[in-house]
């Protein structure tokens, strides 16, 4: 991406995309392999009831069942309703509201919870966790209504797994990052990767190099802040033997070592502005001069930089010379992906420690508690993926049974969800009340059923038929 202008493969339309409510499965007692799949409500389906459960036929009120989908920018695979025998055929009813919330109502067995609070009916907002206690848990988010569209980019990989670059996630933010990586990988020129600490900037840099024509050449990496100011010229550019002092060996410098490949300067923003200025000529044309050597050299090295600082804090002419800039989002911007990162991270632990696999895994899936997943997807992160890894290590080492349980300090008491206005039972309404409401609304049924505090327009339609109201 050049600044913010390169659109690349599968580029979305300019401006914010229309989205629809999506309930993503973040935990399932009996179907953990389906974590990451979503129940998406149709676009424009405000105040239209749908059901979630095992049923594939409409409920008694005519509400249509939603099915889980493996949803990507370029594909949608319907995987059907929930299959867990302990889930009721119609376990809950959901209805999108005009204010962006989602009305959820318990229909089946067991408790219904929103953010840990037991409810019969409640309004969930994006970021809330809706849980059928002991059965499954869902995170309310939003997905682009235009998905799927266009053609895939990059090599294929299984749904929910790490891609060829090592990126895990099916959220819009994860797929936008993949799009940017695909757009920049084959291009030349310096690349600046920025984003919060622990978000995966080095992973992106290594993916950019691995997918480029220089993949067979070395990627020389150095934490820029560890270069002492008096030695930056020698470290970056190298020096002749015995210069500037006798006994100093000949050194190629980082640019010399990276010739033909790439140089990665991590935490570039930690360099003082004076030191950032030493890089301008290199970024312009690759030109540099070794200490003690009269002639200038040109390094054929692609330069990658990474920083967690705001770009406004860097020397402005340094930033301008990075013709491609990619931003890596933190977990707060891709909460949908936390539930997919958890088994990926725990799988890495188990690969290095077989005793953990024997204790905490059923096949290739870790056994985790719903409370752990709810806490992790709703947490506010400061170190992002790095912090998630640390939290999971602590959870593993403090869990004494065969399930990875949540940590006491992860528990956050969230306020009770919004409660909807109480509905009127259809049998409580008289013919006169219905006629009066229709008259007050000039015959507009969409307004009348709301004024009567009914659940849906269909209820009003049935009452009008019952009382022979035309």
């Amino acid at each position: 991406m050049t600044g913010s202008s390169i659109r690349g493969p599968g580029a979305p339309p300019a401006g914010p995309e229309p989205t629809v409510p999506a309930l993503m499965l973040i935990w399932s007692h009996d179907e953990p392999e389906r974590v990451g799949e979503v129940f998406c409500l149709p676009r424009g389906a405000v105040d239209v009831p749908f059901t979630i459960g095992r049923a594939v036929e409409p409920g008694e009120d005519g509400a249509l069942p939603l099915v889980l989908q493996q949803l990507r920018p370029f594909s949608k695979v319907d995987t059907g309703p929930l299959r867990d025998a302990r889930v009721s055929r119609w376990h809950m009813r959901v209805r999108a509201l005009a204010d962006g919330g989602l009305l959820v109502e318990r229909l089946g067995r067991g408790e219904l919870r929103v953010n840990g609070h037991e409810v019969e009916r409640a309004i969930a907002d994006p970021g809330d966790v809706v849980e059928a206690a002991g059965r499954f848990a869902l995170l309310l988010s939003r997905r682009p209504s235009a998905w799927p569209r266009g053609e895939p980019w990059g090599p294929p990989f299984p749904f929910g797994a790490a891609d060829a670059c090592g990126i895990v996630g099916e959220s819009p933010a994860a797929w936008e990052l993949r799009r940017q990586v695909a757009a920049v990988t084959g291009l030349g020129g310096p690349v600046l990767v920025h984003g919060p600490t622990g978000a995966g900037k080095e992973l992106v840099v290594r993916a950019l190099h691995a997918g480029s024509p220089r993949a067979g050449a070395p990627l020389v990496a150095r934490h820029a802040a560890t270069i002492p100011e008096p030695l930056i010229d020698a470290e970056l550019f190298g020096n002749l033997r015995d210069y500037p002092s006798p006994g100093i060996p000949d050194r190629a410098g980082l640019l010399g070592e990276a010739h033909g490949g790439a140089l990665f300067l991590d935490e570039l923003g930690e360099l003082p502005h004076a030191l950032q200025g030493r890089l301008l000529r290199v970024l312009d044309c690759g030109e540099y001069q070794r200490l003690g050597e009269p002639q200038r050299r040109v390094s054929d090295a692609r330069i990658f930089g990474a920083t967690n600082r705001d770009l406004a804090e860097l020397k402005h002419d340094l930033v301008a010379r990075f013709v491609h800039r990619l931003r890596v989002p933190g977990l707060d911007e891709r909460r949908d992906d936390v539930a997919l990162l958890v088994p990926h991270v725990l799988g890495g632990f188990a690969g290095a420690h077989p005793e953990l696999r024997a204790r905490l895994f059923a096949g290739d899936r870790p056994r985790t508690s719903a409370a752990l997943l709810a806490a992790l997807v709703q947490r506010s992160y400061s170190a992002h993926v790095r912090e998630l890894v640390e939290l999971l290590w602590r959870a593993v080492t403090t869990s004494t049974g065969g399930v990875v349980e949540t940590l006491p300090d992860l528990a956050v008491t969230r306020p009770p969800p919004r409660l909807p206005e109480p509905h009127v039972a259809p049998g409580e309404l008289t013919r006169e009340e219905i006629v009066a409401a229709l008259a007050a609304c000039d015959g507009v049924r969409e307004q009348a059923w709301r004024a009567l505090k009914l659940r849906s327009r269909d209820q009003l339609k049935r009452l009008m038929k019952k009382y022979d109201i035309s």
Side-chain angles (χ1 to χ4, degrees):
M1 180 169 80
T2 303
S4 59
S5 60
I6 284 187
R7 298 174 62 74
E17 291 189 77
T19 59
V20 295
L23 286 160
M24 193 194 91
L25 188 68
I26 62 170
W27 179 85
S28 171
H29 186 276
D30 288 343
E31 301 178 77
E33 70 282 358
R34 303 182 75 179
V35 164
E37 297 179 6
V38 293
F39 293 106
C40 279
L41 278 71
R43 184 176 179 181
V46 175
D47 285 317
V48 178
F50 297 91
T51 59
I52 290 173
R54 289 187 296 110
V56 293
E57 65 274 2
E60 294 180 357
D61 63 350
L64 296 175
L66 296 173
V67 297
L68 281 168
Q69 300 170 340
Q70 293 182 351
L71 186 61
R72 286 176 161 175
F74 44 80
S75 69
K76 179 176 69 175
V77 178
D78 290 349
T79 62
L82 294 165
R83 296 185 286 268
D84 181 354
R86 299 184 313 136
V87 173
S88 300
R89 293 178 58 75
W90 298 282
H91 206 92
M92 66 176 68
R93 181 167 43 225
V94 299
R95 188 192 308 265
L97 303 178
D99 65 1
L102 189 75
L103 176 64
V104 295
E105 302 174 87
R106 184 178 73 87
L107 300 178
R109 304 182 302 273
E111 294 179 7
L112 174 66
R113 301 171 185 162
V114 176
N115 294 335
H117 298 276
E118 184 179 356
V119 297
E120 289 293 315
R121 302 171 66 243
I123 299 172
D125 293 304
D128 288 345
V129 172
V130 178
E131 180 187 356
R135 294 163 174 82
F136 60 89
L138 305 163
L139 174 68
L140 177 57
S141 63
R142 300 189 72 86
R143 294 293 169 96
S145 60
W147 283 13
R149 62 157 184 268
E151 297 296 324
W153 62 91
F157 62 97
F159 184 85
D163 63 17
C165 301
I167 299 171
V168 175
E170 300 289 346
S171 69
W175 278 105
E176 171 60 14
L177 178 59
R178 290 187 180 106
R179 185 194 67 78
Q180 293 184 32
V181 170
V184 171
T185 294
L187 303 177
V191 183
L192 182 60
V193 180
H194 59 107
T197 184
K201 296 184 292 296
E202 182 174 350
L203 181 70
V204 169
V205 168
R206 295 190 178 279
L208 288 168
H209 179 65
S212 75
R214 298 172 182 258
L219 172 66
V220 178
R222 180 67 185 270
H223 194 299
T226 65
I227 304 176
E229 184 171 354
L231 301 179
I232 188 169
D233 287 328
E235 291 285 330
L236 281 174
F237 310 136
N239 59 267
L240 289 180
R241 181 181 177 182
D242 295 327
Y243 188 91
S245 304
I248 292 180
D250 183 273
R251 289 192 299 179
L254 294 173
L255 285 166
E257 292 175 24
H259 183 72
L263 173 60
F264 172 34
L265 295 175
D266 196 8
E267 299 303 343
L268 188 63
E270 302 306 309
L271 288 177
H273 279 203
L275 300 189
Q276 293 176 23
R278 311 276 184 92
L279 298 171
L280 301 183
R281 188 71 177 166
V282 174
L283 290 166
D284 274 339
C285 58
E287 189 175 278
Y288 70 103
Q289 189 171 4
R290 288 208 298 169
L291 297 182
E293 190 173 70
Q295 71 271 24
R296 293 187 177 275
R297 295 174 177 246
V298 175
S299 174
D300 178 26
R302 190 180 192 188
I303 309 296
F304 294 104
T307 182
N308 59 19
R309 290 184 175 271
D310 188 308
L311 296 189
E313 297 181 32
L314 276 66
K315 190 175 176 63
H316 69 89
D317 45 358
L318 175 76
V319 174
R321 282 165 168 83
F322 281 98
V323 295
H324 310 302
R325 297 191 286 277
L326 275 71
R327 184 178 179 278
V328 181
L331 290 185
D332 294 342
E333 300 173 66
R334 46 185 291 230
R335 294 187 182 279
D336 299 32
D337 295 331
V338 172
L340 292 171
L341 282 163
V342 167
H344 178 76
V345 172
L346 292 176
F349 295 170
H353 303 276
E355 69 277 10
L356 294 181
R357 182 174 296 278
R359 179 166 69 91
L360 298 172
F361 278 65
D364 62 348
R365 296 281 173 175
R367 291 186 291 265
T368 56
S369 71
L372 174 67
L373 268 298
L376 291 176
V377 299
Q378 295 186 308
R379 180 180 178 82
S380 179
Y381 289 88
S382 57
H384 303 279
V385 177
R386 189 177 299 132
E387 182 179 341
L388 177 65
V389 172
E390 185 268 334
L391 290 170
L392 287 173
W393 260 126
R394 287 175 50 209
V396 165
T397 55
T398 56
S399 298
T400 56
V403 176
V404 186
E405 299 286 355
T406 192
L407 296 163
D409 56 346
L410 275 181
V412 177
T413 302
R414 294 177 64 91
R418 294 187 287 149
L419 296 179
E421 292 184 9
H423 286 137
V424 172
E428 297 176 5
L429 292 171
T430 65
R431 187 181 193 280
E432 290 72 21
E433 288 173 323
I434 297 170
V435 170
L438 285 165
C441 296
D442 295 325
V444 180
R445 297 181 186 182
E446 187 64 27
Q447 297 176 13
W449 73 262
R450 298 174 191 274
L452 290 165
K453 295 186 178 181
L454 293 169
R455 290 181 182 273
S456 67
R457 180 173 174 169
D458 287 337
Q459 281 191 332
L460 174 60
K461 184 179 178 180
R462 288 193 289 270
L463 285 171
M464 291 176 67
K465 182 177 180 181
K466 173 183 176 182
Y467 291 124
D468 192 25
I469 301 173
S470 58

